[in-house]
Amino acid sequence: MMMGRLALLLLLAFASLQLFCFADDDNNDDDVVFYESFEESFEGRWIVSNKDDYKGLVGEPVALGVDIDVVLGAAGLWKHSKSEGHEDYGLLVSEKARKYAIVKVVDEPVSLKDGTTVLQFETRLQSGIECGGAYIKFLRPQEAGWKPEEFDNESPYSIMFGPDKCGTTNKVHFIFKHKNPKNGEYVEHHLKYPPSVPSDKLTHVYTATLKRDKEVKIMIDGEEKKKANFLAAEDFDPPLIPAKTIPDPDDKKPEDWDDKEKIPDPNAVKPDDWDEDAPMEIEDEEAVKPEGWLDDEPEEIDDPEATKPEDWDDEEDGVWEPPKMYNPKCAIAPGCGEWKRPMKSNPAYKGKWSPPLIDNPNYKGVWKAREIPNPNYFELDKPDFEPIAAIGIEIWTMQEGILFDNILIAKNEKVAKSYRETKWKPKFEVEKERQQAEEEASGLDFLASIKRKVFNALYQIADIPFLSNYKPQIL
């Protein structure tokens, strides 16, 4: 009897475990809201904007060593192309100095208000990047006033996320637009101190995780680079929650308000020996011409090997003169040509006289308008995000070779991690090995590795929040 009950309990436990496992598998499937691998051509599934800056026509595949499907445009050229060195396809930005815009409408709008939402995609800067963006816009429903075929930089989005580098700009953007419930205006909020963009030509995966506890987490290649709170004023610019008070726009500074802390001393008199006309520099009378100076040799001479071109016409082109070259005799001498004494600072120079500054007896301090209650102030327990109804790439870039791949929207961090492990990591490891082999073959492995370490260290230093004011100089 006891053995029968034990067997029954084991059978029930096994059945429960099976049900749990199946339920878990179902949840994982449901957690993938959107996924685009670009293994199939994007033609007919993604829409290229027909606005003048981006409009395109569907063209025939062309031979470039691999099979590609092409959308020919007056602006940028999108291609369905393999990633260099892989059999894996992606969406390729193929021309430099162009604008690009392409969009994919999702089957059902994705709510960002409940639970966890993960936004993830891969980019590979196959030609490197000096000036361009590789970010994605997660767009609001079309009721907000946009159409896929007219997608452009003004199309309303909920979140913009991804790398951008040009000049002193080097950041992984995270920007969200939020509607002010008091005035109905949408405000763009930028993540402060975002992480920097990796400085190589490898495939990288970017992940933004929005959590129910008002937190966003930014990862690059599965490594956490930034964590922020949507409601924290120190994490976003401008803050999501407006200030309770604002300066009164109708308050004006009184005409008699004196805000000069220092004033010229009205009793000061210019000294009698003050010479305003003395030059800043004078000749150094103690200087001596260096021995061996070639006074009679010019610094430049005619190139003796230059010859007059056969098609040169003196009447049309003028009298031909040979190009100049640096005089080789000057290279071994202290100098050539007429020697002149060098200039030195004039000890008698004082410049234009001005009275010294003294404390202003009428100083009232820095004037500020009085504070009044902010009519647009509101409070929130959590952000009121607009849903995602489409995924768009709208960029301007000076570099070609930007490849987008494996765009994912999921409701589970584990799902996003599994995609990184199975889709991104194998490619990344192959590319790293190939890069190292190329460096070793060229004999630059040591130098390249040192350079890469230095750059990576500088990028990490630049991402330290309290050094944010110096980030452009560091980069």
Side-chain angles (χ1 to χ4, degrees):
M1 188 68 174
M2 180 66 71
M3 292 298 293
R5 290 181 179 177
L6 181 60
L8 181 60
L9 287 173
L10 288 173
L11 181 61
L12 289 173
F14 179 77
S16 299
L17 180 61
Q18 291 293 96
L19 287 172
F20 175 80
C21 291
F22 288 137
D24 188 56
D25 287 342
D26 290 341
N27 286 337
N28 284 338
D29 291 340
D30 292 341
D31 286 339
V32 178
V33 180
F34 174 86
Y35 176 60
E36 173 61 84
S37 67
F38 293 109
E39 286 307 303
E40 298 179 358
S41 171
F42 60 87
E43 182 183 331
R45 300 186 302 110
W46 289 68
I47 300 172
V48 177
S49 175
N50 63 16
K51 296 292 278 291
D52 289 341
D53 285 345
Y54 323 97
K55 64 183 178 181
L57 299 171
V58 177
E60 295 296 327
V62 297
L64 292 175
V66 294
D67 292 333
I68 54 176
D69 293 318
V70 185
V71 172
L72 299 171
L77 188 69
W78 292 106
K79 294 181 181 179
H80 179 235
S81 178
K82 290 180 181 178
S83 180
E84 292 180 3
H86 301 289
E87 292 300 313
D88 186 43
Y89 281 86
L91 180 64
L92 182 68
V93 170
S94 66
E95 296 178 302
K96 60 177 65 176
R98 298 297 182 100
K99 291 182 178 181
Y100 295 82
I102 193 169
V103 68
K104 175 72 169 71
V105 178
V106 300
D107 293 335
E108 294 290 338
V110 182
S111 173
L112 302 176
K113 295 183 180 181
D114 300 315
T116 296
T117 303
V118 185
L119 310 176
Q120 182 169 284
F121 66 98
E122 297 172 14
T123 61
R124 185 181 183 191
L125 311 176
Q126 297 182 143
S127 303
I129 188 166
E130 292 298 328
C131 188
Y135 42 79
I136 287 180
K137 293 181 177 180
F138 297 90
L139 299 151
R140 288 159 50 196
Q142 295 177 47
E143 288 77 11
W146 71 282
K147 297 178 180 179
E149 61 274 10
E150 297 177 1
F151 173 51
D152 63 10
N153 64 327
E154 297 296 327
S155 299
Y157 62 85
S158 288
I159 291 174
M160 185 177 117
F161 171 53
D164 187 17
K165 183 179 179 183
C166 191
T168 58
T169 297
N170 185 325
K171 65 179 72 174
V172 178
H173 287 289
F174 184 87
I175 307 169
F176 71 95
K177 286 190 175 182
H178 194 275
K179 183 179 180 180
N180 185 309
K182 287 294 185 71
N183 58 19
E185 294 181 357
Y186 284 88
V187 179
E188 198 173 81
H189 303 275
H190 293 244
L191 177 67
K192 289 184 179 180
Y193 319 122
S196 299
V197 181
S199 58
D200 54 42
K201 300 178 182 180
L202 309 179
T203 300
H204 294 282
V205 57
Y206 297 89
T207 309
T209 304
L210 290 67
K211 309 196 79 171
R212 61 170 63 87
D213 56 0
K214 301 164 289 195
E215 178 185 275
V216 60
K217 180 171 62 176
I218 307 297
M219 294 193 294
I220 303 176
D221 299 344
E223 180 182 348
E224 183 178 313
K225 296 292 185 179
K226 178 73 177 181
K227 185 182 288 184
N229 189 308
F230 287 113
L231 303 185
E234 63 272 16
D235 286 346
F236 284 90
D237 183 29
L240 176 59
I241 307 298
K244 288 186 177 181
T245 62
I246 59 171
D248 184 353
D250 298 323
D251 192 15
K252 306 298 181 184
K253 183 170 70 172
E255 293 183 1
D256 61 348
W257 189 279
D258 195 337
D259 55 8
K260 295 185 290 293
E261 188 174 357
K262 299 283 185 178
I263 59 171
D265 184 354
N267 299 318
V269 178
K270 182 172 72 173
D272 294 335
D273 62 348
W274 192 284
D275 185 0
E276 291 186 339
D277 298 324
M280 184 182 295
E281 291 185 329
I282 57 174
E283 283 189 355
D284 185 357
E285 297 294 339
E286 298 179 358
V288 178
K289 181 170 66 173
E291 186 177 349
W293 188 279
L294 305 178
D295 298 83
D296 299 329
E297 289 288 343
E299 290 187 355
E300 290 187 336
I301 59 172
D302 292 343
D303 185 352
E305 297 183 1
T307 56
K308 181 178 177 180
E310 295 181 0
D311 59 350
W312 187 276
D313 188 326
D314 289 338
E315 293 184 0
E316 293 185 5
D317 303 324
V319 178
W320 181 81
E321 294 181 358
K324 298 291 184 181
M325 62 174 286
Y326 183 67
N327 189 344
K329 295 181 180 179
C330 298
I332 57 176
C336 290
E338 181 185 358
W339 181 80
K340 295 181 180 179
R341 285 188 172 87
M343 305 296 286
K344 69 174 186 178
S345 298
N346 183 3
Y349 172 76
K350 293 186 177 181
K352 185 174 179 60
W353 180 84
S354 59
L357 297 178
I358 61 172
D359 292 335
N360 182 2
N362 299 318
Y363 176 65
K364 293 184 177 181
V366 178
W367 183 84
K368 293 182 180 180
R370 63 175 175 266
E371 293 285 315
I372 60 172
N374 184 357
N376 296 319
Y377 172 75
F378 62 90
E379 293 184 356
L380 280 179
D381 293 329
K382 58 182 180 179
D384 187 18
F385 288 114
E386 299 285 344
I388 295 173
I391 297 167
I393 303 172
E394 188 278 319
I395 57 176
W396 175 86
T397 177
M398 293 302 294
Q399 262 69 43
E400 77 281 12
I402 301 175
L403 190 81
F404 293 88
D405 199 5
N406 293 320
I407 302 173
L408 172 72
I409 302 177
K411 288 293 184 177
N412 189 315
E413 289 186 85
K414 292 182 179 179
V415 171
K417 181 179 179 181
S418 71
Y419 274 72
R420 291 195 300 270
E421 293 292 327
T422 58
K423 303 294 184 181
W424 165 76
K425 194 170 184 179
K427 290 190 294 185
F428 181 74
E429 295 297 337
V430 168
E431 292 164 11
K432 271 208 316 184
E433 290 180 8
R434 184 181 297 115
Q435 175 182 266
Q436 185 175 355
E438 290 173 354
E439 290 173 353
E440 291 175 353
S442 64
L444 298 176
D445 54 316
F446 177 74
L447 180 61
S449 64
I450 294 297
K451 180 180 177 181
R452 194 161 55 245
K453 289 177 182 178
V454 170
F455 282 168
N456 289 339
L458 286 172
Y459 284 128
Q460 290 177 7
I461 291 171
D463 287 340
I464 298 175
F466 72 84
L467 293 177
S468 60
N469 291 336
Y470 304 98
K471 185 169 184 175
Q473 290 88 335
I474 295 171
L475 295 178

